[in-house]
Amino acid sequence: MDYRIVDAHAHLWLHQDTEVDGMKIKTMEGGKSLFMGEVRQMLPPFMVDGRNTAEIFLSNMDYAQVSAAVITQEYIDGLQNDYLEQVQQRYPDRFLCCGMVDARKPGCFPHAEELIEKGFKAIKIPAQRLLLSEGRVYLTSDEMMRMFHLMEEKDILLSVDLADGAEQVGEIEEIIAECPRLRIAIGHFGMVTRPQWQEQIKLARHERVRIESGGITWLFNDEFYPFRGAMVAIKEAASLVGMEKLMWGSDYPRTIAAITYRMSYDFIVKSDLMTEEEKILFLGENARSFYRLNNLVELPYIKNMSE
């Protein structure tokens, strides 16, 4: 390959110890976690201490020839802002780290101010987690809108995962109308295997909105490699908004409990459903431009012992 690859959706953490909807998530041994009442393989089993560190990811990235990654966050991992601040400072050319506010309760605006002051260039909201049993939190609440106006003013990117289908699409439309200069990256490829997923994709018809495919191999896990259904969905999304609005993401490390990191994009490289120009855009160039990653490293191909 003669092009640079950018992962638009990955995760890092030192340990998990949190609650979501009153259910515990906690790191165990052998890559496992207690996850909402059951034991799940959260990481590949060779990550025995449960530490999903930048250094381990960089080793995977170097091997897979991935030049840079956007580190997003999720409430199921707990807030990782302190660790990600260190990662951003240590590896500025390899990672763009999103800070995360806890939008499930009041106080997101001063928290966002604090994260921006610390140097975060993007803020993540796992909006699918805002449909709480005790009452839904709307992205268009007064405090949230105040935060989005601040982010627009400071040119801070919004990374957001939405609930299935069109549940929160109207809220995003209202945010775009209020804050037209706010850059927005929508994750999980619009929850592509769920009904009405195209409604999320259509949000990228707005100038500053992009769609990233973090988790697409998880969503098409039942069909597994080479994820032909995922390729068909990518082409359908491109027909709706243009390939220049779409970006590859892996959802590392959870997805590589089932496949290798390279496999999370290799199926795209080998597909006959996309042109070489489309692959260049989807796998790296769109993300490089949108996230303003100007110093992408060039990585050599390292042969396996089995080759």
Side-chain angles (χ1 to χ4, degrees):
M1 297 180 299
D2 59 358
Y3 46 91
R4 313 276 171 97
I5 299 176
V6 176
D7 188 342
H9 187 124
H11 299 271
L12 296 174
W13 63 77
L14 293 182
H15 65 277
Q16 296 172 310
D17 188 5
T18 190
E19 287 188 7
V20 171
D21 294 331
M23 292 178 281
K24 191 75 174 173
I25 298 119
K26 189 172 179 63
T27 294
M28 301 170 65
E29 295 181 346
K32 296 183 287 292
S33 289
L34 174 64
F35 182 76
M36 297 184 171
E38 61 179 330
V39 175
R40 298 289 291 271
Q41 194 69 45
M42 187 69 63
L43 302 170
F46 54 77
M47 295 169 72
V48 294
D49 61 0
R51 288 167 57 89
N52 171 34
T53 66
E55 288 72 25
I56 292 175
F57 189 25
L58 280 169
S59 184
N60 273 285
M61 290 168 63
D62 289 350
Y63 169 72
Q65 296 176 277
V66 174
S67 296
V70 178
I71 305 302
T72 183
Q73 296 197 57
E74 229 277 26
Y75 293 142
I76 63 172
D77 304 323
L79 272 67
Q80 301 291 330
N81 295 321
D82 291 344
Y83 178 53
L84 294 186
E85 183 183 3
Q86 297 174 27
V87 170
Q88 187 69 79
Q89 293 172 355
R90 194 173 302 154
Y91 306 108
D93 292 337
R94 301 302 300 276
F95 296 122
L96 172 64
C97 295
C98 298
M100 184 166 69
V101 297
D102 193 343
R104 297 169 295 182
K105 57 187 180 181
C108 66
F109 181 79
H111 194 186
E113 284 186 308
E114 177 187 340
L115 293 173
I116 294 168
E117 181 66 26
K118 287 182 176 181
F120 283 100
K121 301 299 183 185
I123 289 177
K124 173 62 182 282
I125 298 179
Q128 78 277 27
R129 306 287 181 192
L130 301 183
L131 308 181
L132 304 173
S133 57
E134 62 269 28
R136 176 172 177 167
V137 177
Y138 285 89
L139 291 164
T140 51
S141 68
D142 289 346
E143 187 177 30
M144 296 274 267
M145 292 303 293
R146 188 180 172 207
M147 179 180 71
F148 296 137
H149 278 290
L150 174 68
M151 291 170 63
E152 180 187 36
E153 176 190 340
K154 300 289 187 180
D155 196 19
I156 304 300
L157 183 142
L158 170 63
S159 172
V160 61
D161 301 331
L162 300 178
D164 293 358
E167 181 78 25
Q168 294 170 309
V169 166
E171 293 168 58
I172 297 295
E173 290 278 11
E174 188 171 334
I175 292 165
I176 294 167
E178 284 274 331
C179 306
R181 292 180 291 109
L182 178 66
R183 287 178 295 144
I184 303 174
I186 296 172
H188 295 160
F189 216 69
M191 293 302 290
V192 59
T193 54
R194 312 294 198 255
Q196 293 188 293
W197 65 276
Q198 297 93 338
E199 297 309 305
Q200 293 190 35
I201 303 298
K202 290 175 186 176
L203 288 167
R205 291 174 175 173
H206 294 280
E207 179 183 0
R208 292 176 178 257
V209 179
R210 301 292 186 275
I211 308 294
E212 44 92 340
S213 74
I216 200 167
T217 60
W218 149 59
L219 290 162
F220 283 93
N221 183 66
D222 287 349
E223 76 173 39
F224 206 65
Y225 190 89
F227 304 108
R228 182 79 174 180
M231 290 304 308
V232 171
I234 292 168
K235 290 294 289 185
E236 181 178 350
S239 75
L240 294 172
V241 299
M243 190 63 74
E244 70 277 4
K245 291 298 191 78
L246 309 178
M247 308 179 294
W248 170 69
S250 70
D251 212 2
Y252 174 100
R254 281 178 270 271
T255 48
I256 66 164
I259 58 175
T260 68
Y261 184 49
R262 184 185 289 274
M263 287 170 71
S264 65
Y265 74 79
D266 171 76
F267 72 96
I268 297 164
V269 174
K270 293 179 177 175
S271 174
D272 59 1
L273 295 182
M274 289 171 67
T275 67
E276 190 66 12
E277 181 181 17
E278 288 174 328
K279 292 173 185 178
I280 290 170
L281 291 174
F282 186 75
L283 289 173
E285 180 56 28
N286 292 339
R288 182 205 63 76
S289 175
F290 185 64
Y291 293 106
R292 301 171 183 170
L293 304 170
N294 299 317
N295 298 301
L296 295 182
V297 299
E298 184 175 359
L299 298 164
Y301 177 74
I302 306 297
K303 292 178 66 175
N304 291 325
M305 283 297 294
S306 59
E307 293 182 78

